[in-house]
Amino acid sequence: MLAYTIRRLLLIIPTLLGIMVVNFFIVQVAPGGPIDVVVAQMRGRSADPTARVTGQGGETGRQQSSGVQSGSNQENRSRASQGIDPRLLEDLRRQFGFDKPLHERFLLMMGQYIRFDFGESFFRGRSVVELVVEKMPVSISLGLSTTLIIYLISIPLGIRKAVRDGSPFDVWTSGAIIIGYAIPSYLFAVLLIVFFAGGSFVQIFPLRGLTSDNYAQMTALQQIVDRIWHLILPVTAMVIGGFASLTMLTKNSFLDEINKQYVVTARSKGLSERRVFYGHIFRNAMLLVIAGFPGAFVAILFSSSLMIEIIFSLDGLGLLGFEAAINRDYPVMFATLYFFTLLGLVMTIIRDLTYQFVDPRIDFEGRA
């Protein structure tokens, strides 16, 4: 297993490099850029009035060396820049690093990313690491809570559906699961706001944010309760659309094990149904479910929470990435892409190690 793990770790390098190359060059052909955003701000047409540009003095060298500054040769002839002093545009190009060739910017970016130096945001005047660390607790709260609740609901429900396969319980729960899966989480979030956050009915839960205005004056216990209170609606919206696939995976996994020959043999030996189920079926059927936890957590954390964070005004990683894309904040865009891609690749290795930990009979190294 050690040799397999080493090979997988080495494969991270070309995989990560390929992802960064593709995304870097896709951005080059995308319309707009940070210079267009700056010009729009100067003309009073900024999409984000709170965004600001770092000065052209002390921080310029830092931004030039960060390497994440991408853009195309069209920056200088952008329609948005018409009527602007060419010297100012040239200063902006130097500030954002666009005076360097494309390949040099990319190599400079990757060289710094290898050292986990992600540079500074174009428009926030802060380092990318500080921004990510600041937003991380919100996304982790959403992702971890959602993943745990999904597992707590899906595993018992999937087991019961497998045991009572074909029964009325199995039929009507399957219908409810299909309906929940068909409704997008963001649409369900809007329905929750309408019904429970002062939309058209009652106001039981807060409409936005993760904490109340008087959060700092609360005791530790009150702060915990306040956070849970604010998380109920967004987590519920994410759970509804996420537990369907895991429930059906659990059911099908148990059904597959129940129909195997070793189960028939165990029953023929006179073992009780409880002993057969929990002593033989349960461990084998739970292999896929347990081993998929790291991947499920990463998927929920970095993909499913974007719309939920926007709808409930939760200042997390999803909202940070969305605003970075809108404002063409390339340091934040590429740094978060690099970090979370690396995290996802590592999680796939952890998933494989979890498979072997749950069932030592699996030998990835022998298969390779």
Side-chain angles (χ1 to χ4, degrees):
M1 192 62 183
L2 178 61
Y4 172 80
T5 304
I6 293 175
R7 285 197 300 271
R8 289 295 302 274
L9 289 173
L10 292 176
L11 280 173
I12 287 178
I13 299 175
T15 304
L16 183 61
L17 181 62
I19 292 173
M20 294 302 298
V21 168
V22 170
N23 283 273
F24 184 87
F25 286 97
I26 285 177
V27 170
Q28 312 310 306
V29 299
I35 293 181
D36 292 323
V37 174
V38 174
V39 172
Q41 290 177 3
M42 295 171 61
R43 291 176 171 175
R45 299 201 306 265
S46 172
D48 181 6
T50 62
R52 68 183 185 87
V53 186
T54 52
Q56 300 178 17
E59 294 183 359
T60 301
R62 167 75 172 179
Q63 291 180 340
Q64 285 181 340
S65 63
S66 66
V68 295
Q69 297 83 349
S70 58
S72 64
N73 293 329
Q74 298 175 352
E75 292 282 3
N76 218 12
R77 57 178 182 269
S78 171
R79 291 183 179 179
S81 63
Q82 291 180 358
I84 302 298
D85 188 348
R87 290 176 297 180
L88 175 59
L89 292 177
E90 190 63 28
D91 289 340
L92 289 174
R93 293 185 72 250
R94 285 196 299 269
Q95 178 182 351
F96 290 131
F98 296 151
D99 56 329
K100 298 182 178 63
L102 187 65
H103 67 279
E104 183 178 340
R105 293 200 302 269
F106 179 77
L107 293 177
L108 191 60
M109 176 185 75
M110 294 306 299
Q112 291 196 317
Y113 282 9
I114 292 174
R115 304 192 303 270
F116 290 92
D117 178 9
F118 299 116
E120 295 186 1
S121 167
F122 281 164
F123 304 109
R124 294 175 181 260
R126 299 173 58 189
S127 71
V128 175
V129 174
E130 290 179 358
L131 291 172
V132 171
V133 171
E134 179 183 310
K135 314 298 183 183
M136 184 76 78
V138 176
S139 295
I140 289 181
S141 298
L142 279 175
L144 189 58
S145 302
T146 302
T147 307
L148 290 177
I149 293 176
I150 286 176
Y151 268 73
L152 290 175
I153 294 175
S154 299
I155 292 176
L157 181 59
I159 293 174
R160 188 165 182 81
K161 285 174 64 64
V163 173
R164 303 182 60 178
D165 183 42
S167 67
F169 172 82
D170 181 41
V171 173
W172 73 260
T173 52
S174 295
I177 288 173
I178 292 174
I179 294 174
Y181 186 74
I183 301 177
S185 59
Y186 65 86
L187 179 58
F188 197 79
V190 174
L191 293 176
L192 290 176
I193 290 175
V194 170
F195 282 98
F196 302 109
S200 301
F201 293 88
V202 296
Q203 184 170 2
I204 301 176
F205 301 101
L207 177 61
R208 57 175 54 196
L210 190 60
T211 58
S212 300
D213 294 335
N214 60 336
Y215 181 80
Q217 286 75 42
M218 295 180 181
T219 64
L221 180 60
Q222 289 174 332
Q223 289 180 345
I224 294 175
V225 174
D226 184 67
R227 280 183 173 269
I228 295 175
W229 183 49
H230 281 77
L231 281 172
I232 288 178
L233 290 188
V235 169
T236 301
M238 294 174 66
V239 166
I240 292 299
F243 78 96
S245 58
L246 182 59
T247 300
M248 299 310 297
L249 173 63
T250 304
K251 175 189 174 181
N252 294 333
S253 181
F254 273 82
L255 284 177
D256 184 57
E257 293 296 325
I258 288 173
N259 296 322
K260 286 186 176 179
Q261 184 62 40
Y262 76 88
V263 176
V264 177
T265 303
R267 286 171 175 165
S268 67
K269 291 181 179 180
L271 296 178
S272 65
E273 284 296 320
R274 184 179 181 85
R275 177 72 180 275
V276 171
F277 188 84
Y278 290 102
H280 296 79
I281 298 175
F282 187 83
R283 187 188 70 173
N284 295 329
M286 287 297 294
L287 173 62
L288 290 174
V289 179
I290 296 176
F293 182 85
F297 172 64
V298 172
I300 292 174
L301 181 61
F302 302 124
S303 61
S304 302
S305 62
L306 171 58
M307 292 301 297
I308 300 300
E309 289 184 11
I310 294 175
I311 292 173
F312 289 98
S313 298
L314 300 174
D315 196 10
L317 294 173
L319 190 58
L320 175 67
F322 175 76
E323 292 177 348
I326 293 297
N327 294 323
R328 302 298 192 270
D329 198 345
Y330 293 150
V332 177
M333 289 173 56
F334 286 113
T336 52
L337 172 67
Y338 176 89
F339 177 76
F340 295 132
T341 301
L342 179 61
L343 180 62
L345 293 173
V346 172
M347 280 297 183
T348 59
I349 300 177
I350 295 177
R351 179 196 62 192
D352 291 345
L353 296 177
T354 307
Y355 272 118
Q356 191 173 53
F357 176 78
V358 175
D359 190 351
R361 295 173 300 175
I362 295 180
D363 185 9
F364 288 103
E365 189 169 347
R367 183 186 64 180

